[in-house]
Amino acid sequence: MHQELRSLPKTLADDVARNLVMVARLLDNEPEEAYKYSRVALRLASRVPSVREAAGFASYMTQRYSEALTEFRAARRMTGRADLWPVMADCERGLGRPEKALAMAGEPEVKQLDKAGQVEMRLVAAGARADMGQFDAAVVTLQSPELASNAVHPWTARLRYAYAEALIAADRGDEAREWFAKAAEADPEGNTNASERLAEIDGLEFVDALDPEAEEAEVPAERPAAGRGSRDTRTDEGQDKVIFEEDEDVEEYYDEDDLELEDASAEEADQIERDRAARRDEGDRD
């Protein structure tokens, strides 16, 4: 990129470089913002290949596939490189032309790709097959030495994950679990959701520990606080009753009259209270 920008006046080159840096910084998490910066760079230096490529990826990430295809074609004409071929084919898929994407998978440009590019082209071709409802063919398309290899490369998790999804689409879900597991094994950073798909097959459910709603669902409703130094007991009827305890001396707060009061009528309760008062008075006299 720096070599390409040297053809521009220094002030202009600095402005273009700043916009391209923002595109790279925002592309994954804020693609719409990245797209805005890419359009500024494109207005400033449309004849610079790296600018056209950056604009293409920003358009691609925001699903502006027609714009992306235009920019990728321009960048390829300027450089003669074939590494953009898979993403150009995927743009054709995005435009609803899977047949075109599949035709591109058989073009001579594919032989110019490195291993990562060839795997990417295979993924695009399998996706095009699936777009056309050819699910068994999508499975076959992904079967390759790269898939069978135990070596882990940057593209391994995505390839295994795509194969597992293709198996499910082809009604071969019993085989898919193994490949989701292999994808998860090759994806410790979680760039795919292979672990979630594996848990889904196994009937497990992930709970976000930071989700307040999930926490409320898991934690039962609080029972009334019994106070400091208390313990909770349960009666035979299943109702909660609290017996208060001090740290040193333990005194049961209920006596027989308290237990009778629970089931007594109003008149009976008055009589129990009168009897209790009489006993206290008699005790004081003694």
Side-chain angles (χ1 to χ4, degrees), residues 108-153:
E109 284 81 355
V110 176
K111 295 181 180 179
Q112 302 174 32
L113 300 172
D114 60 12
K115 183 62 68 177
Q118 290 176 6
V119 170
E120 196 66 35
M121 193 70 244
R122 192 176 291 274
L123 289 168
V124 173
R129 292 286 189 189
D131 293 343
M132 298 163 64
Q134 300 174 7
F135 303 116
D136 290 324
V139 170
V140 173
T141 300
L142 293 171
Q143 292 172 346
S144 61
E146 293 80 18
L147 180 68
S149 173
N150 291 324
V152 175
H153 301 279

mmCIF file of all heavy atoms in Angstrom, residues 108-153:
data_model
loop_
_atom_site.group_PDB
_atom_site.id
_atom_site.type_symbol
_atom_site.label_atom_id
_atom_site.label_comp_id
_atom_site.label_asym_id
_atom_site.label_seq_id
_atom_site.Cartn_x
_atom_site.Cartn_y
_atom_site.Cartn_z
ATOM 1 N N PRO A 108 -9.271 -20.924 -15.033
ATOM 2 C CA PRO A 108 -7.818 -21.074 -14.829
ATOM 3 C C PRO A 108 -7.276 -20.239 -13.670
ATOM 4 O O PRO A 108 -6.246 -20.582 -13.083
ATOM 5 C CB PRO A 108 -7.228 -20.599 -16.162
ATOM 6 C CG PRO A 108 -8.332 -20.754 -17.158
ATOM 7 C CD PRO A 108 -9.601 -20.509 -16.416
ATOM 8 N N GLU A 109 -7.974 -19.135 -13.332
ATOM 9 C CA GLU A 109 -7.490 -18.268 -12.249
ATOM 10 C C GLU A 109 -7.355 -19.025 -10.926
ATOM 11 O O GLU A 109 -6.512 -18.662 -10.084
ATOM 12 C CB GLU A 109 -8.439 -17.078 -12.054
ATOM 13 C CG GLU A 109 -8.307 -15.995 -13.111
ATOM 14 C CD GLU A 109 -9.059 -16.323 -14.393
ATOM 15 O OE1 GLU A 109 -9.620 -17.437 -14.507
ATOM 16 O OE2 GLU A 109 -9.085 -15.458 -15.292
ATOM 17 N N VAL A 110 -8.158 -20.060 -10.743
ATOM 18 C CA VAL A 110 -8.130 -20.816 -9.482
ATOM 19 C C VAL A 110 -6.768 -21.468 -9.278
ATOM 20 O O VAL A 110 -6.268 -21.580 -8.148
ATOM 21 C CB VAL A 110 -9.260 -21.866 -9.460
ATOM 22 C CG1 VAL A 110 -9.190 -22.721 -8.208
ATOM 23 C CG2 VAL A 110 -10.621 -21.182 -9.559
ATOM 24 N N LYS A 111 -6.134 -21.897 -10.359
ATOM 25 C CA LYS A 111 -4.821 -22.544 -10.258
ATOM 26 C C LYS A 111 -3.732 -21.572 -9.827
ATOM 27 O O LYS A 111 -2.653 -21.987 -9.387
ATOM 28 C CB LYS A 111 -4.453 -23.174 -11.600
ATOM 29 C CG LYS A 111 -5.381 -24.317 -12.001
ATOM 30 C CD LYS A 111 -4.965 -24.921 -13.338
ATOM 31 C CE LYS A 111 -5.892 -26.059 -13.734
ATOM 32 N NZ LYS A 111 -5.510 -26.661 -15.053
ATOM 33 N N GLN A 112 -4.002 -20.276 -9.961
ATOM 34 C CA GLN A 112 -3.032 -19.270 -9.542
ATOM 35 C C GLN A 112 -3.112 -18.956 -8.053
ATOM 36 O O GLN A 112 -2.257 -18.257 -7.506
ATOM 37 C CB GLN A 112 -3.238 -17.979 -10.340
ATOM 38 C CG GLN A 112 -3.124 -18.154 -11.845
ATOM 39 C CD GLN A 112 -3.470 -16.874 -12.595
ATOM 40 O OE1 GLN A 112 -3.237 -15.769 -12.107
ATOM 41 N NE2 GLN A 112 -4.017 -17.016 -13.799
ATOM 42 N N LEU A 113 -4.145 -19.460 -7.395
ATOM 43 C CA LEU A 113 -4.353 -19.168 -5.979
ATOM 44 C C LEU A 113 -3.414 -19.997 -5.106
ATOM 45 O O LEU A 113 -3.055 -21.124 -5.461
ATOM 46 C CB LEU A 113 -5.799 -19.461 -5.586
ATOM 47 C CG LEU A 113 -6.887 -18.669 -6.315
ATOM 48 C CD1 LEU A 113 -8.266 -19.212 -5.971
ATOM 49 C CD2 LEU A 113 -6.791 -17.179 -5.963
ATOM 50 N N ASP A 114 -3.070 -19.464 -3.940
ATOM 51 C CA ASP A 114 -2.334 -20.262 -2.966
ATOM 52 C C ASP A 114 -3.304 -21.213 -2.275
ATOM 53 O O ASP A 114 -4.500 -21.246 -2.597
ATOM 54 C CB ASP A 114 -1.615 -19.354 -1.960
ATOM 55 C CG ASP A 114 -2.567 -18.462 -1.164
ATOM 56 O OD1 ASP A 114 -3.794 -18.698 -1.209
ATOM 57 O OD2 ASP A 114 -2.091 -17.521 -0.510
ATOM 58 N N LYS A 115 -2.785 -22.004 -1.329
ATOM 59 C CA LYS A 115 -3.630 -23.018 -0.691
ATOM 60 C C LYS A 115 -4.850 -22.396 0.001
ATOM 61 O O LYS A 115 -5.966 -22.894 -0.124
ATOM 62 C CB LYS A 115 -2.796 -23.804 0.315
ATOM 63 C CG LYS A 115 -3.554 -24.944 0.993
ATOM 64 C CD LYS A 115 -4.028 -25.991 0.009
ATOM 65 C CE LYS A 115 -2.870 -26.744 -0.601
ATOM 66 N NZ LYS A 115 -3.318 -27.820 -1.516
ATOM 67 N N ALA A 116 -4.626 -21.310 0.725
ATOM 68 C CA ALA A 116 -5.745 -20.644 1.405
ATOM 69 C C ALA A 116 -6.792 -20.171 0.405
ATOM 70 O O ALA A 116 -7.998 -20.294 0.632
ATOM 71 C CB ALA A 116 -5.232 -19.468 2.230
ATOM 72 N N GLY A 117 -6.333 -19.613 -0.730
ATOM 73 C CA GLY A 117 -7.263 -19.154 -1.753
ATOM 74 C C GLY A 117 -8.038 -20.285 -2.393
ATOM 75 O O GLY A 117 -9.233 -20.151 -2.691
ATOM 76 N N GLN A 118 -7.381 -21.422 -2.587
ATOM 77 C CA GLN A 118 -8.061 -22.577 -3.167
ATOM 78 C C GLN A 118 -9.130 -23.131 -2.221
ATOM 79 O O GLN A 118 -10.214 -23.528 -2.652
ATOM 80 C CB GLN A 118 -7.041 -23.654 -3.518
ATOM 81 C CG GLN A 118 -6.147 -23.271 -4.690
ATOM 82 C CD GLN A 118 -5.073 -24.299 -4.971
ATOM 83 O OE1 GLN A 118 -5.044 -25.373 -4.358
ATOM 84 N NE2 GLN A 118 -4.172 -23.986 -5.901
ATOM 85 N N VAL A 119 -8.820 -23.147 -0.922
ATOM 86 C CA VAL A 119 -9.821 -23.575 0.062
ATOM 87 C C VAL A 119 -10.997 -22.608 0.063
ATOM 88 O O VAL A 119 -12.159 -23.012 0.111
ATOM 89 C CB VAL A 119 -9.191 -23.677 1.465
ATOM 90 C CG1 VAL A 119 -10.271 -23.881 2.528
ATOM 91 C CG2 VAL A 119 -8.176 -24.822 1.514
ATOM 92 N N GLU A 120 -10.706 -21.324 -0.012
ATOM 93 C CA GLU A 120 -11.762 -20.316 -0.050
ATOM 94 C C GLU A 120 -12.648 -20.501 -1.272
ATOM 95 O O GLU A 120 -13.877 -20.396 -1.201
ATOM 96 C CB GLU A 120 -11.142 -18.919 -0.051
ATOM 97 C CG GLU A 120 -12.125 -17.810 0.287
ATOM 98 C CD GLU A 120 -12.629 -17.890 1.709
ATOM 99 O OE1 GLU A 120 -11.861 -18.275 2.596
ATOM 100 O OE2 GLU A 120 -13.823 -17.569 1.923
ATOM 101 N N MET A 121 -12.024 -20.802 -2.416
ATOM 102 C CA MET A 121 -12.781 -21.026 -3.633
ATOM 103 C C MET A 121 -13.667 -22.259 -3.494
ATOM 104 O O MET A 121 -14.808 -22.292 -3.969
ATOM 105 C CB MET A 121 -11.817 -21.195 -4.804
ATOM 106 C CG MET A 121 -12.475 -21.124 -6.181
ATOM 107 S SD MET A 121 -13.065 -19.476 -6.617
ATOM 108 C CE MET A 121 -14.836 -19.743 -6.720
ATOM 109 N N ARG A 122 -13.170 -23.279 -2.801
ATOM 110 C CA ARG A 122 -13.958 -24.493 -2.578
ATOM 111 C C ARG A 122 -15.174 -24.195 -1.700
ATOM 112 O O ARG A 122 -16.277 -24.705 -1.938
ATOM 113 C CB ARG A 122 -13.059 -25.560 -1.933
ATOM 114 C CG ARG A 122 -13.648 -26.953 -1.915
ATOM 115 C CD ARG A 122 -12.656 -27.953 -1.352
ATOM 116 N NE ARG A 122 -11.528 -28.164 -2.249
ATOM 117 C CZ ARG A 122 -11.538 -29.040 -3.241
ATOM 118 N NH1 ARG A 122 -12.626 -29.771 -3.482
ATOM 119 N NH2 ARG A 122 -10.468 -29.190 -4.008
ATOM 120 N N LEU A 123 -14.973 -23.349 -0.698
ATOM 121 C CA LEU A 123 -16.084 -22.960 0.172
ATOM 122 C C LEU A 123 -17.155 -22.203 -0.612
ATOM 123 O O LEU A 123 -18.359 -22.425 -0.429
ATOM 124 C CB LEU A 123 -15.570 -22.092 1.323
ATOM 125 C CG LEU A 123 -14.732 -22.795 2.392
ATOM 126 C CD1 LEU A 123 -14.051 -21.777 3.295
ATOM 127 C CD2 LEU A 123 -15.606 -23.733 3.219
ATOM 128 N N VAL A 124 -16.705 -21.298 -1.486
ATOM 129 C CA VAL A 124 -17.657 -20.537 -2.306
ATOM 130 C C VAL A 124 -18.419 -21.463 -3.247
ATOM 131 O O VAL A 124 -19.641 -21.352 -3.409
ATOM 132 C CB VAL A 124 -16.929 -19.429 -3.094
ATOM 133 C CG1 VAL A 124 -17.887 -18.752 -4.069
ATOM 134 C CG2 VAL A 124 -16.341 -18.404 -2.138
ATOM 135 N N ALA A 125 -17.708 -22.405 -3.867
ATOM 136 C CA ALA A 125 -18.352 -23.334 -4.802
ATOM 137 C C ALA A 125 -19.382 -24.204 -4.078
ATOM 138 O O ALA A 125 -20.483 -24.443 -4.599
ATOM 139 C CB ALA A 125 -17.297 -24.208 -5.470
ATOM 140 N N ALA A 126 -19.036 -24.671 -2.877
ATOM 141 C CA ALA A 126 -19.993 -25.476 -2.096
ATOM 142 C C ALA A 126 -21.213 -24.639 -1.736
ATOM 143 O O ALA A 126 -22.350 -25.125 -1.782
ATOM 144 C CB ALA A 126 -19.317 -26.017 -0.841
ATOM 145 N N GLY A 127 -20.982 -23.369 -1.389
ATOM 146 C CA GLY A 127 -22.112 -22.489 -1.093
ATOM 147 C C GLY A 127 -23.004 -22.282 -2.293
ATOM 148 O O GLY A 127 -24.238 -22.240 -2.175
ATOM 149 N N ALA A 128 -22.395 -22.173 -3.475
ATOM 150 C CA ALA A 128 -23.177 -22.016 -4.706
ATOM 151 C C ALA A 128 -24.014 -23.265 -4.970
ATOM 152 O O ALA A 128 -25.179 -23.168 -5.386
ATOM 153 C CB ALA A 128 -22.246 -21.738 -5.889
ATOM 154 N N ARG A 129 -23.427 -24.437 -4.744
ATOM 155 C CA ARG A 129 -24.191 -25.687 -4.893
ATOM 156 C C ARG A 129 -25.392 -25.693 -3.960
ATOM 157 O O ARG A 129 -26.507 -26.070 -4.353
ATOM 158 C CB ARG A 129 -23.298 -26.881 -4.588
ATOM 159 C CG ARG A 129 -22.192 -27.140 -5.595
ATOM 160 C CD ARG A 129 -22.733 -27.739 -6.871
ATOM 161 N NE ARG A 129 -21.647 -28.189 -7.752
ATOM 162 C CZ ARG A 129 -21.858 -28.584 -9.003
ATOM 163 N NH1 ARG A 129 -23.077 -28.565 -9.519
ATOM 164 N NH2 ARG A 129 -20.832 -28.990 -9.753
ATOM 165 N N ALA A 130 -25.165 -25.287 -2.721
ATOM 166 C CA ALA A 130 -26.268 -25.254 -1.753
ATOM 167 C C ALA A 130 -27.333 -24.243 -2.171
ATOM 168 O O ALA A 130 -28.532 -24.491 -2.031
ATOM 169 C CB ALA A 130 -25.731 -24.915 -0.361
ATOM 170 N N ASP A 131 -26.893 -23.088 -2.713
ATOM 171 C CA ASP A 131 -27.854 -22.085 -3.199
ATOM 172 C C ASP A 131 -28.768 -22.673 -4.264
ATOM 173 O O ASP A 131 -29.939 -22.296 -4.380
ATOM 174 C CB ASP A 131 -27.116 -20.882 -3.787
ATOM 175 C CG ASP A 131 -26.345 -20.095 -2.740
ATOM 176 O OD1 ASP A 131 -26.629 -20.265 -1.539
ATOM 177 O OD2 ASP A 131 -25.448 -19.309 -3.133
ATOM 178 N N MET A 132 -28.227 -23.592 -5.040
ATOM 179 C CA MET A 132 -28.986 -24.204 -6.129
ATOM 180 C C MET A 132 -29.748 -25.453 -5.674
ATOM 181 O O MET A 132 -30.354 -26.136 -6.490
ATOM 182 C CB MET A 132 -28.018 -24.562 -7.269
ATOM 183 C CG MET A 132 -27.319 -23.351 -7.869
ATOM 184 S SD MET A 132 -25.836 -23.767 -8.844
ATOM 185 C CE MET A 132 -26.562 -24.714 -10.184
ATOM 186 N N GLY A 133 -29.682 -25.752 -4.374
ATOM 187 C CA GLY A 133 -30.387 -26.922 -3.844
ATOM 188 C C GLY A 133 -29.653 -28.228 -4.076
ATOM 189 O O GLY A 133 -30.227 -29.300 -3.851
ATOM 190 N N GLN A 134 -28.403 -28.168 -4.479
ATOM 191 C CA GLN A 134 -27.613 -29.376 -4.752
ATOM 192 C C GLN A 134 -26.787 -29.719 -3.501
ATOM 193 O O GLN A 134 -25.564 -29.577 -3.461
ATOM 194 C CB GLN A 134 -26.710 -29.143 -5.963
ATOM 195 C CG GLN A 134 -27.474 -28.812 -7.233
ATOM 196 C CD GLN A 134 -26.550 -28.437 -8.387
ATOM 197 O OE1 GLN A 134 -25.324 -28.532 -8.297
ATOM 198 N NE2 GLN A 134 -27.146 -28.008 -9.498
ATOM 199 N N PHE A 135 -27.474 -30.192 -2.465
ATOM 200 C CA PHE A 135 -26.830 -30.369 -1.166
ATOM 201 C C PHE A 135 -25.824 -31.522 -1.159
ATOM 202 O O PHE A 135 -24.766 -31.410 -0.543
ATOM 203 C CB PHE A 135 -27.893 -30.562 -0.090
ATOM 204 C CG PHE A 135 -28.882 -29.433 -0.026
ATOM 205 C CD1 PHE A 135 -30.228 -29.635 -0.312
ATOM 206 C CD2 PHE A 135 -28.455 -28.149 0.288
ATOM 207 C CE1 PHE A 135 -31.130 -28.589 -0.261
ATOM 208 C CE2 PHE A 135 -29.351 -27.092 0.338
ATOM 209 C CZ PHE A 135 -30.690 -27.307 0.057
ATOM 210 N N ASP A 136 -26.144 -32.598 -1.814
ATOM 211 C CA ASP A 136 -25.182 -33.711 -1.873
ATOM 212 C C ASP A 136 -23.916 -33.283 -2.627
ATOM 213 O O ASP A 136 -22.799 -33.658 -2.250
ATOM 214 C CB ASP A 136 -25.811 -34.931 -2.552
ATOM 215 C CG ASP A 136 -26.878 -35.586 -1.692
ATOM 216 O OD1 ASP A 136 -26.701 -35.605 -0.458
ATOM 217 O OD2 ASP A 136 -27.883 -36.072 -2.239
ATOM 218 N N ALA A 137 -24.107 -32.505 -3.682
ATOM 219 C CA ALA A 137 -22.958 -32.019 -4.449
ATOM 220 C C ALA A 137 -22.111 -31.061 -3.608
ATOM 221 O O ALA A 137 -20.880 -31.028 -3.742
ATOM 222 C CB ALA A 137 -23.439 -31.329 -5.727
ATOM 223 N N ALA A 138 -22.767 -30.290 -2.729
ATOM 224 C CA ALA A 138 -22.022 -29.387 -1.844
ATOM 225 C C ALA A 138 -21.118 -30.179 -0.911
ATOM 226 O O ALA A 138 -19.970 -29.797 -0.652
ATOM 227 C CB ALA A 138 -22.988 -28.520 -1.048
ATOM 228 N N VAL A 139 -21.631 -31.317 -0.416
ATOM 229 C CA VAL A 139 -20.828 -32.177 0.454
ATOM 230 C C VAL A 139 -19.606 -32.686 -0.299
ATOM 231 O O VAL A 139 -18.474 -32.636 0.191
ATOM 232 C CB VAL A 139 -21.674 -33.360 0.986
ATOM 233 C CG1 VAL A 139 -20.797 -34.392 1.681
ATOM 234 C CG2 VAL A 139 -22.757 -32.857 1.930
ATOM 235 N N VAL A 140 -19.823 -33.167 -1.516
ATOM 236 C CA VAL A 140 -18.726 -33.707 -2.320
ATOM 237 C C VAL A 140 -17.702 -32.614 -2.641
ATOM 238 O O VAL A 140 -16.487 -32.862 -2.628
ATOM 239 C CB VAL A 140 -19.275 -34.338 -3.611
ATOM 240 C CG1 VAL A 140 -18.133 -34.752 -4.535
ATOM 241 C CG2 VAL A 140 -20.162 -35.534 -3.287
ATOM 242 N N THR A 141 -18.171 -31.409 -2.909
ATOM 243 C CA THR A 141 -17.276 -30.304 -3.244
ATOM 244 C C THR A 141 -16.287 -30.023 -2.111
ATOM 245 O O THR A 141 -15.125 -29.677 -2.360
ATOM 246 C CB THR A 141 -18.086 -29.033 -3.553
ATOM 247 O OG1 THR A 141 -18.949 -29.283 -4.668
ATOM 248 C CG2 THR A 141 -17.186 -27.846 -3.869
ATOM 249 N N LEU A 142 -16.737 -30.175 -0.878
ATOM 250 C CA LEU A 142 -15.885 -29.869 0.272
ATOM 251 C C LEU A 142 -14.955 -31.016 0.646
ATOM 252 O O LEU A 142 -14.011 -30.817 1.426
ATOM 253 C CB LEU A 142 -16.749 -29.488 1.478
ATOM 254 C CG LEU A 142 -17.514 -28.174 1.328
ATOM 255 C CD1 LEU A 142 -18.511 -27.998 2.460
ATOM 256 C CD2 LEU A 142 -16.553 -26.990 1.280
ATOM 257 N N GLN A 143 -15.203 -32.201 0.138
ATOM 258 C CA GLN A 143 -14.336 -33.337 0.435
ATOM 259 C C GLN A 143 -13.018 -33.167 -0.313
ATOM 260 O O GLN A 143 -12.990 -33.107 -1.539
ATOM 261 C CB GLN A 143 -15.022 -34.643 0.047
ATOM 262 C CG GLN A 143 -16.229 -34.965 0.928
ATOM 263 C CD GLN A 143 -17.031 -36.154 0.426
ATOM 264 O OE1 GLN A 143 -16.861 -36.595 -0.706
ATOM 265 N NE2 GLN A 143 -17.916 -36.663 1.265
ATOM 266 N N SER A 144 -11.937 -33.072 0.459
ATOM 267 C CA SER A 144 -10.643 -32.745 -0.136
ATOM 268 C C SER A 144 -9.535 -33.165 0.813
ATOM 269 O O SER A 144 -9.787 -33.449 1.990
ATOM 270 C CB SER A 144 -10.561 -31.233 -0.375
ATOM 271 O OG SER A 144 -10.683 -30.543 0.862
ATOM 272 N N PRO A 145 -8.304 -33.193 0.328
ATOM 273 C CA PRO A 145 -7.173 -33.493 1.219
ATOM 274 C C PRO A 145 -7.079 -32.514 2.382
ATOM 275 O O PRO A 145 -6.689 -32.888 3.486
ATOM 276 C CB PRO A 145 -5.953 -33.385 0.292
ATOM 277 C CG PRO A 145 -6.500 -33.661 -1.073
ATOM 278 C CD PRO A 145 -7.877 -33.081 -1.086
ATOM 279 N N GLU A 146 -7.437 -31.249 2.131
ATOM 280 C CA GLU A 146 -7.386 -30.247 3.202
ATOM 281 C C GLU A 146 -8.382 -30.579 4.308
ATOM 282 O O GLU A 146 -8.104 -30.378 5.494
ATOM 283 C CB GLU A 146 -7.682 -28.855 2.643
ATOM 284 C CG GLU A 146 -6.629 -28.313 1.697
ATOM 285 C CD GLU A 146 -6.764 -28.881 0.285
ATOM 286 O OE1 GLU A 146 -7.844 -29.414 -0.040
ATOM 287 O OE2 GLU A 146 -5.789 -28.786 -0.480
ATOM 288 N N LEU A 147 -9.547 -31.095 3.941
ATOM 289 C CA LEU A 147 -10.545 -31.471 4.935
ATOM 290 C C LEU A 147 -10.087 -32.696 5.725
ATOM 291 O O LEU A 147 -10.299 -32.772 6.943
ATOM 292 C CB LEU A 147 -11.886 -31.764 4.243
ATOM 293 C CG LEU A 147 -13.043 -32.182 5.170
ATOM 294 C CD1 LEU A 147 -13.464 -31.015 6.060
ATOM 295 C CD2 LEU A 147 -14.240 -32.662 4.339
ATOM 296 N N ALA A 148 -9.477 -33.637 5.049
ATOM 297 C CA ALA A 148 -9.057 -34.883 5.698
ATOM 298 C C ALA A 148 -7.819 -34.713 6.565
ATOM 299 O O ALA A 148 -7.558 -35.536 7.445
ATOM 300 C CB ALA A 148 -8.800 -35.952 4.636
ATOM 301 N N SER A 149 -7.071 -33.653 6.334
ATOM 302 C CA SER A 149 -5.814 -33.462 7.058
ATOM 303 C C SER A 149 -6.058 -33.158 8.538
ATOM 304 O O SER A 149 -7.022 -32.473 8.903
ATOM 305 C CB SER A 149 -5.027 -32.305 6.430
ATOM 306 O OG SER A 149 -3.892 -32.008 7.197
ATOM 307 N N ASN A 150 -5.192 -33.668 9.397
ATOM 308 C CA ASN A 150 -5.258 -33.372 10.830
ATOM 309 C C ASN A 150 -4.534 -32.077 11.174
ATOM 310 O O ASN A 150 -4.634 -31.590 12.305
ATOM 311 C CB ASN A 150 -4.659 -34.523 11.644
ATOM 312 C CG ASN A 150 -5.520 -35.767 11.593
ATOM 313 O OD1 ASN A 150 -6.748 -35.684 11.568
ATOM 314 N ND2 ASN A 150 -4.881 -36.936 11.574
ATOM 315 N N ALA A 151 -3.786 -31.536 10.227
ATOM 316 C CA ALA A 151 -3.076 -30.273 10.461
ATOM 317 C C ALA A 151 -4.079 -29.128 10.572
ATOM 318 O O ALA A 151 -5.139 -29.134 9.929
ATOM 319 C CB ALA A 151 -2.096 -30.008 9.328
ATOM 320 N N VAL A 152 -3.746 -28.162 11.408
ATOM 321 C CA VAL A 152 -4.635 -27.015 11.624
ATOM 322 C C VAL A 152 -4.037 -25.770 10.983
ATOM 323 O O VAL A 152 -2.893 -25.394 11.276
ATOM 324 C CB VAL A 152 -4.876 -26.781 13.126
ATOM 325 C CG1 VAL A 152 -5.706 -25.519 13.343
ATOM 326 C CG2 VAL A 152 -5.567 -27.983 13.754
ATOM 327 N N HIS A 153 -4.795 -25.153 10.097
ATOM 328 C CA HIS A 153 -4.392 -23.932 9.402
ATOM 329 C C HIS A 153 -5.439 -22.852 9.697
ATOM 330 O O HIS A 153 -6.500 -23.142 10.277
ATOM 331 C CB HIS A 153 -4.307 -24.183 7.897
ATOM 332 C CG HIS A 153 -3.326 -25.263 7.536
ATOM 333 N ND1 HIS A 153 -1.972 -25.026 7.445
ATOM 334 C CD2 HIS A 153 -3.505 -26.587 7.246
ATOM 335 C CE1 HIS A 153 -1.351 -26.140 7.121
ATOM 336 N NE2 HIS A 153 -2.250 -27.106 6.988
#
